[in-house]
Amino acid sequence: ADGCTDWSVDIKKYQVLVGEPVRIKCALFYGYIRANYSLAQSAGLSLMWYKSSGPGDFEEPIAFDGSRMSKEEDSIWFRPTLLQDSGLYACVIRT
């Protein structure tokens, strides 16, 4: 579609023990070549996170509970991780 930018896919694997905290950073904000989180926010864009249990099977946006699993700027935190947190996560910038 017009006005869409494909930032491609970055896959990073995290290996975490159940019960330990982990931070997953959105791949769109890894380096200076990519988008800047503050600029995206000031432009009225929002960062959405999705979880999938299998390749290409992304469903509804994640509803963060604010305590154990929270969205903080360009990252999601799991404090602590649980077995059901395993899976693929994707971040998307939306208007």
Side-chain angles (χ1 to χ4, degrees), residues 2-24:
D2 291 339
C4 292
T5 302
D6 179 1
W7 294 90
S8 75
V9 176
D10 287 329
I11 296 177
K12 185 172 184 178
K13 292 184 179 183
Y14 293 82
Q15 293 184 344
V16 181
L17 296 175
V18 170
E20 294 293 319
V22 68
R23 173 183 175 229
I24 299 176

Side-chain angles (χ1 to χ4, degrees), residues 11-86:
I11 296 177
K12 185 172 184 178
K13 292 184 179 183
Y14 293 82
Q15 293 184 344
V16 181
L17 296 175
V18 170
E20 294 293 319
V22 68
R23 173 183 175 229
I24 299 176
K25 184 174 172 70
C26 178
L28 296 173
F29 305 106
Y30 277 165
Y32 70 92
I33 297 172
R34 306 273 178 137
N36 177 293
Y37 181 73
S38 297
L39 291 175
Q41 261 195 325
S42 64
L45 303 174
S46 41
L47 180 64
M48 303 294 295
W49 284 91
Y50 297 84
K51 181 183 177 197
S52 170
S53 53
D57 185 28
F58 291 95
E59 299 183 12
E60 295 296 315
I62 297 171
F64 295 96
D65 63 18
S67 58
R68 188 190 72 81
M69 186 175 170
S70 61
K71 176 180 162 189
E72 298 176 20
E73 295 186 352
D74 61 350
S75 303
I76 48 179
W77 276 94
F78 298 86
R79 296 181 186 108
T81 54
L82 301 176
L83 190 55
Q84 63 260 28
D85 294 330
S86 295

